[in-house]
Amino acid sequence: NAGVTQTPKFRVLKTGQSMTLLCAQDMNHEYMYWYRQDPGMGLRLIHYSVGEGTTAKGEVPDGYNVSRLKKQNFLLGLESAAPSQTSVYFCASSQPIGRFYEQYFGPGTRLTVT
Amino acid sequence: DQQVKQNSPSLSVQEGRISILNCDYTNSMFDYFLWYKKYPAEGPTFLISISSIKDKNEDGRFTVFLNKSAKHLSLHIVPSQPGDSAVYFCAASLIQGAQKLVFGQGTRLTINP
């Protein structure tokens, strides 16, 4: 049981390049999330999904797109990378049971945009 | 507008003593409060939570206290152990379609032998 995995672990991009970050979970969770973490700041929600084929915007969605074609995968895309998108990106998943449900996080992807 | 704040970037505590991490929030609509622990190069892992209708929740060495009138919560770790050295994030939950978490900036806890 791998939990939540993220690919790649590290990436360096030039300004204007594009890339896709992949998140996979093997817990059959309905909900998936993408966060970014910047120095001195907490994690901020970029986009989230409440089920296969659905996505919604979080707190900081600009410059990112997402897709959830399969229940176990949640992709985060950067169409034209900017230095302001240098960050550590975390994916999480959860299963909505009751009023509170724990979010399980992946190990993160460190992205540098030069 | 930072809805969840951890005003201490770091805290150093001697092994065996009590560690107290603090968190303040502004939004009275939050329904759960959580603490996550994060080691370097790993994702955050859930530690403990408390419902907004409670004032205390205990799990082994970890206790979370909630003071709604002051909009303040704290995490107590007793006794502190070297393996507790990590960054601790306070988070608050809003149910809006999905459970959305709002995180504080984190506090780096160092336990000294």
Side-chain angles (χ1 to χ4, degrees):
Chain A
N1 211 0
V4 179
T5 57
Q6 293 183 232
T7 309
K9 288 188 169 45
F10 304 94
R11 185 74 186 265
V12 179
L13 284 180
K14 291 190 186 331
T15 297
Q17 287 184 319
S18 64
M19 78 163 293
T20 300
L21 281 66
L22 171 64
C23 176
Q25 52 96 3
D26 62 3
M27 297 174 283
N28 202 33
H29 285 172
E30 286 296 327
Y31 292 1
M32 296 187 75
Y33 311 80
W34 275 107
Y35 293 88
R36 61 178 287 174
Q37 187 198 0
D38 301 300
M41 300 186 73
L43 283 74
R44 291 181 292 166
L45 183 64
I46 304 172
H47 286 281
Y48 65 98
S49 167
V50 298
E52 183 178 312
T54 74
T55 62
K57 293 180 181 179
E59 182 187 350
V60 289
D62 293 342
Y64 305 96
N65 56 75
V66 287
S67 64
R68 183 114 181 258
L69 299 179
K70 293 183 178 181
K71 186 178 183 179
Q72 63 267 34
N73 295 337
F74 195 27
L75 277 62
L76 178 72
L78 286 73
E79 288 185 347
S80 179
S84 61
Q85 294 177 303
T86 293
S87 189
V88 181
Y89 292 86
F90 290 100
C91 175
S93 71
S94 66
Q95 185 62 17
I97 300 173
R99 281 197 57 78
F100 170 72
Y101 31 95
E102 178 185 343
Q103 291 187 18
Y104 295 81
F105 283 83
T109 294
R110 184 174 294 275
L111 175 67
T112 302
V113 183
T114 62
Chain B
D1 179 25
Q2 190 93 26
Q3 295 188 73
V4 177
K5 285 185 184 176
Q6 293 175 256
N7 291 316
S8 298
S10 63
L11 176 67
S12 188
V13 173
Q14 199 161 4
E15 183 179 357
R17 298 286 186 101
I18 183 171
S19 295
I20 300 176
L21 294 94
N22 294 302
C23 180
D24 297 299
Y25 64 95
T26 57
N27 190 340
S28 57
M29 299 300 291
F30 290 133
D31 59 348
Y32 272 87
F33 300 90
L34 307 85
W35 286 93
Y36 274 83
K37 178 178 178 179
K38 185 183 179 306
Y39 292 119
E42 295 184 10
T45 54
F46 171 73
L47 194 55
I48 191 169
S49 66
I50 186 167
S51 164
S52 59
I53 62 172
K54 306 273 189 189
D55 54 21
K56 178 181 174 182
N57 187 29
E58 196 170 348
D59 183 2
R61 296 186 298 114
F62 303 92
T63 303
V64 57
F65 296 92
L66 176 62
N67 182 334
K68 283 187 72 174
S69 60
K71 293 192 171 68
H72 177 84
L73 68 154
S74 61
L75 174 69
H76 292 211
I77 306 174
V78 182
S80 299
Q81 298 174 354
D84 297 329
S85 294
V87 176
Y88 289 79
F89 289 99
C90 166
S93 165
L94 271 174
I95 301 290
Q96 293 176 333
Q99 181 195 66
K100 294 180 183 175
L101 296 182
V102 180
F103 284 83
Q105 307 96 308
T107 296
R108 181 177 301 277
L109 175 65
T110 302
I111 307 300
N112 302 306

